[in-house]
Amino acid sequence: MELMNRDCSMLPRDFASTSESVFKQDPRLISAINKLYGRNEKDDSNSEIVLPERKLNFEEVQKMLNKSSKDTEKAPSTYLQERSNIRKELIKNIEKILEKLNSSAENGDTPILLLRNQRLWSNCVYDLNRVTLKAFADAKKTTLSYSNREDKTRFNAVVFVLTKVHELLLKNLSVTRRELFYQNVTRLRNQANLDIAVRDVCCLLQTPPWNLGIMATAKGLIAGHIQLQLRDGSYVDCFGAGGTLIPQDVNGIKVFRSTAKYILVVEKDAIFQKLLDEGALGKGYPDVCTRQLLCRLVNELRLKALALVDADPHGYEIFLTYKYGSLAQSHLSQSLACSSLQLLGARHGDVMTLAEKEARLKLTALDKKKIVSLLKRPYLDTAVGFNIKKDLEEMLASGVKAEIEALSPTAAALCDFYLPSKIMQGKYLG
């Protein structure tokens, strides 16, 4: 924290009274950003394949080799053929599942569905720098029985999603989760039941929801010098006032064009708007579309990604979800977990150094429970996770947290002092 402390010790406590922009043209900042950009290009070109401490199967080896090779844009005919093959295979698998359920009922047996239990961290492994599900044979399972009253709602929801997906694939159509919910409100009862059913179906078919024609409702925004070319040939420019809503069909983005040197993922909309006012980049809450887009931007533009969140348990959890993936979406971690993401701020050390005592908040009982839960996550027992774990332990021991606004109460303080100092310091977490 030496550079951070030295820079910030010279700053006035009343940031609002300082209207002059100190760091905007600072050569050290320009150099730090260029170094951040250049280092990522260098790291990407010379990167080694990360191997897990276990034996890989043939399919995993093939995926890793393909990922390490130079990406080439596929011809439209090749892409369409691949999509067609995937659809045909999924249709066949769905028909097998439904046929098995029908046969059980016709033979007088109770129809059942066997699923991996995705409520247990013990069913996940930290593998290839992300959280992923154990193999079906090794995982603890949940049996959904049609005759069981407690299982019936979930069982019916899974069958409903399977039949709807079968129809979507046959007609080559897509639908949002919300639209799907309103097609059978009586049976589904609430959106959460549908979301669980979609997750269950994805696990059964071992495929992401976008391959099933089910699109998540986008919540995140993107802003900056970046242009997206969509599958239909249209373009989306993201350098507009207030930011641009992330497309629902992230998989349908064909080309990214950008002059950006790094990506900044921002937790809060209020902070995002402050950054926009100063001409800076991006925002996103960890919904599926935002996480999927972040992974594609990092991989295809070869940019470094930094996170800006509150220095509280919730902020750290958001960062960890982007970086390692979540329990609920562990079956999609290959497309959603951005393992190279690093935390720019706000870190617990920043709170103790920069935030006024009056601006620091006491951890609640729920906050402490959240930290204890985070500390148990398997990916923190790694070389990279060690320092993240240390931050959380220090937060728990101190009993305090703070929002970003406590460190930088104005847009000028955030954009001209805090962020440049952190970037010049260059000591990112993760």
Side-chain angles (χ1 to χ4, degrees):
M1 294 292 290
E2 287 183 11
L3 176 60
M4 182 67 186
N5 290 337
R6 185 172 69 248
D7 288 336
C8 293
S9 64
M10 297 184 292
L11 302 180
R13 283 290 180 182
D14 184 9
F15 288 122
S17 65
T18 307
S19 59
E20 208 173 331
S21 178
V22 177
F23 287 105
K24 279 187 177 178
Q25 302 300 323
D26 193 315
R28 293 178 299 164
L29 177 59
I30 295 171
S31 175
I33 292 174
N34 287 335
K35 185 178 178 182
L36 182 70
Y37 178 63
R39 182 175 66 218
N40 196 61
E41 281 195 319
K42 182 180 177 182
D43 289 347
D44 187 85
S45 60
N46 298 324
S47 61
E48 296 180 357
I49 299 175
V50 179
L51 296 174
E53 296 179 0
R54 62 173 176 80
K55 186 177 180 180
L56 293 169
N57 60 42
F58 179 76
E59 185 180 346
E60 289 175 315
V61 172
Q62 287 297 106
K63 284 182 180 179
M64 293 180 73
L65 290 174
N66 289 337
K67 187 176 179 182
S68 66
S69 62
K70 189 176 181 180
D71 294 331
T72 56
E73 189 174 345
K74 295 177 182 177
S77 58
T78 304
Y79 175 82
L80 291 173
Q81 184 59 49
E82 285 184 0
R83 293 294 303 166
S84 177
N85 292 340
I86 291 171
R87 275 205 318 276
K88 288 176 182 177
E89 188 65 26
L90 288 171
I91 290 169
K92 191 186 300 182
N93 292 338
I94 292 171
E95 288 173 350
K96 285 180 181 178
I97 294 170
L98 294 176
E99 185 180 342
K100 186 177 179 180
L101 293 176
N102 288 331
S103 295
S104 295
E106 289 172 0
N107 295 332
D109 300 323
T110 301
I112 62 169
L113 288 166
L114 192 62
L115 306 166
R116 274 178 289 198
N117 191 331
Q118 282 190 252
R119 296 181 179 180
L120 304 174
W121 276 104
S122 59
N123 262 357
C124 296
V125 291
Y126 174 69
D127 195 17
L128 302 176
N129 291 331
R130 60 180 180 265
V131 173
T132 187
L133 278 175
K134 285 183 178 178
F136 188 82
D138 301 328
K140 293 180 180 177
K141 287 118 179 142
T142 296
T143 301
L144 298 183
S145 174
Y146 182 75
S147 62
N148 189 321
R149 186 178 177 182
E150 293 180 357
D151 295 342
K152 205 162 188 176
T153 298
R154 186 175 173 187
F155 184 98
N156 286 336
V158 171
V159 173
F160 167 73
V161 172
L162 282 169
T163 54
K164 281 296 177 181
V165 165
H166 186 263
E167 180 184 336
L168 290 171
L169 293 172
L170 285 173
K171 296 179 180 179
N172 196 17
L173 299 174
S174 62
V175 67
T176 66
R177 291 177 184 238
R178 199 63 180 162
E179 289 169 340
L180 196 58
F181 168 67
Y182 279 113
Q183 289 183 24
N184 202 335
V185 178
T186 305
R187 176 178 289 183
L188 294 168
R189 299 181 185 177
N190 57 61
Q191 184 71 46
N193 286 336
L194 174 71
D195 292 338
I196 292 170
V198 171
R199 183 195 67 191
D200 290 340
V201 168
C202 288
C203 286
L204 275 172
L205 300 173
Q206 298 186 56
T207 194
W210 45 89
N211 279 350
L212 304 177
I214 300 176
M215 303 298 166
T217 302
K219 300 175 183 177
L221 299 172
I222 180 171
H225 290 280
I226 183 167
Q227 186 185 66
L228 317 177
Q229 183 183 354
L230 305 184
R231 188 176 293 160
D232 62 5
S234 62
Y235 290 89
V236 177
D237 291 307
C238 302
F239 197 66
T244 302
L245 189 66
I246 291 171
Q248 290 181 337
D249 184 13
V250 176
N251 202 44
I253 300 173
K254 288 182 62 179
V255 180
F256 297 100
R257 293 188 178 90
S258 178
T259 57
K261 293 192 174 182
Y262 67 97
I263 301 164
L264 184 62
V265 182
V266 183
E267 171 193 353
K268 300 167 75 173
D269 188 66
I271 297 298
F272 175 68
Q273 295 303 329
K274 283 184 180 181
L275 290 169
L276 285 186
D277 290 342
E278 293 291 315
L281 185 68
K283 170 246 179 182
Y285 187 81
D287 61 277
V288 169
C289 293
T290 307
R291 290 162 61 193
Q292 188 185 4
L293 180 64
L294 176 63
C295 287
R296 287 200 60 188
L297 288 172
V298 168
N299 292 332
E300 296 175 39
L301 293 180
R302 299 181 181 180
L303 294 175
K304 199 78 174 178
L306 304 173
L308 181 65
V309 299
D310 285 332
D312 60 16
H314 183 67
Y316 272 75
E317 184 177 35
I318 286 175
F319 164 61
L320 294 174
T321 299
Y322 274 113
K323 184 173 179 66
Y324 295 111
S326 64
L327 178 60
Q329 304 292 342
S330 51
H331 57 295
L332 302 176
S333 62
Q334 186 175 353
S335 300
L336 302 184
C338 183
S339 59
S340 63
L341 179 69
Q342 294 181 298
L343 183 64
L344 174 69
R347 294 181 59 179
H348 179 69
D350 300 341
V351 174
M352 305 309 288
T353 305
L354 300 174
E356 298 280 3
K357 288 185 178 180
E358 295 78 9
R360 300 174 193 173
L361 305 172
K362 288 185 178 181
L363 292 175
T364 66
L366 287 175
D367 287 331
K368 293 176 182 178
K369 186 177 179 181
K370 172 67 73 179
I371 294 176
V372 170
S373 174
L374 292 175
L375 291 171
K376 293 178 181 177
R377 295 193 179 179
Y379 48 71
L380 294 187
D381 293 323
T382 62
V384 174
F386 174 79
N387 288 326
I388 303 173
K389 191 172 187 177
K390 187 178 177 183
D391 261 28
L392 290 168
E393 288 172 340
E394 289 175 356
M395 186 188 300
L396 184 61
S398 71
V400 298
K401 61 180 180 178
E403 296 180 303
I404 299 171
E405 290 88 343
L407 282 64
S408 305
T410 67
L414 179 67
C415 298
D416 294 347
F417 295 93
Y418 180 73
L419 292 180
S421 294
K422 294 291 288 186
I423 290 171
M424 286 189 293
Q425 181 191 6
K427 293 181 180 179
Y428 311 117
L429 187 63

